[in-house]
Amino acid sequence: LMLEKISIIIPSWKRSKNVKNILYALSKQNYRKELYEVIIVYSGNFLKTGKNYNINITYLNSIKNSNALKRNLGIKNSKYKNLIFLDDDCIPSKNFLFYYSRLFSKINEKEILNGSVTYNLKKGNELKYLKLRNQNHFKISNRENKFKLDISFKNIVTMNMALKKPNNQY
């Protein structure tokens, strides 16, 4: 199995603690560290993440607080063709990059990979809100082969999705 090179783009705004948790999870991936880069695109105050995670991290400042603009800035500064977009409140599982790498070889530039998102339903005051969000998100079952599936644009989870950078872009 050939592992893919991957750029992970994370737009952020005032969530240093969350980003620290994400970087920690990314540093513990079952994946060779030289095969991926992390691009944090923040706005507002400088994002303080503290320690060295022994992974390739680039910090970019966006003038406006817009996830779309931040993602595009991340794309423009990415080294690799395979792009993963994570929101600053999504903590990846240990095999996150490995699973995405396997799927990148199966898609073309006109397809996206839409990952599942599950919420920690043990958070006090937010419980009702998180249950509602958890019910509305597209989920991938381990028992079903949903690799090629047409889903409604309303069900695309942009906080955990991936695509290939088109050859003629950036």
Side-chain angles (χ1 to χ4, degrees):
L1 174 68
M2 184 170 157
L3 297 175
E4 301 280 337
K5 292 183 176 181
I6 300 171
S7 295
I8 305 154
I9 300 167
I10 306 169
S12 186
W13 188 71
K14 294 186 178 182
R15 286 192 169 160
S16 296
K17 183 178 179 185
N18 288 10
V19 172
K20 287 178 189 179
N21 292 333
I22 295 167
L23 292 174
Y24 178 78
L26 289 171
S27 73
K28 299 299 181 192
Q29 291 291 300
N30 287 330
Y31 208 75
R32 293 185 9 225
K33 293 182 183 349
E34 67 273 9
L35 293 179
Y36 64 99
E37 68 171 341
V38 180
I39 302 169
I40 309 290
V41 187
Y42 63 93
S43 56
N45 296 340
F46 182 74
L47 193 67
K48 295 181 176 115
T49 57
K51 67 181 207 170
N52 180 359
Y53 296 91
N54 290 326
I55 55 177
N56 182 7
I57 306 170
T58 301
Y59 296 92
L60 302 171
N61 191 357
S62 174
I63 296 169
K64 293 187 179 182
N65 185 29
S66 160
N67 278 351
L69 290 174
K70 290 176 186 178
R71 287 180 180 127
N72 283 327
L73 183 58
I75 292 168
K76 288 179 184 177
N77 287 275
S78 63
K79 294 180 194 174
Y80 306 125
K81 183 174 184 65
N82 299 308
L83 306 173
I84 296 175
F85 300 97
L86 275 180
D87 277 3
D88 63 2
D89 58 355
C90 290
I91 299 176
S93 63
K94 193 170 189 172
N95 292 311
F96 177 78
L97 293 176
F98 177 76
Y99 291 139
Y100 263 122
S101 179
R102 287 189 346 195
L103 295 173
F104 274 124
S105 64
K106 297 178 182 181
I107 66 167
N108 63 47
E109 295 172 356
K110 295 182 180 182
E111 296 173 301
I112 65 167
L113 297 169
N114 193 105
S116 290
V117 174
T118 28
Y119 294 93
N120 179 356
L121 297 178
K122 296 178 184 174
K123 293 185 176 183
N125 295 338
E126 299 175 339
L127 186 59
K128 192 180 235 183
Y129 171 71
L130 292 176
K131 279 184 179 179
L132 178 66
R133 286 192 71 182
N134 209 32
Q135 290 170 354
N136 291 329
H137 276 302
F138 170 76
K139 304 258 184 318
I140 298 171
S141 165
N142 289 335
R143 288 175 271 147
E144 300 176 54
N145 181 6
K146 292 187 177 181
F147 177 66
K148 294 264 183 172
L149 181 67
D150 290 328
I151 61 174
S152 165
F153 72 91
K154 294 183 285 185
N155 292 332
I156 294 174
V157 180
T158 61
M159 64 177 72
N160 173 7
M161 73 173 200
L163 53 91
K164 288 186 176 283
K165 189 179 347 179
N167 285 329
N168 61 352
Q169 296 293 311
Y170 308 103

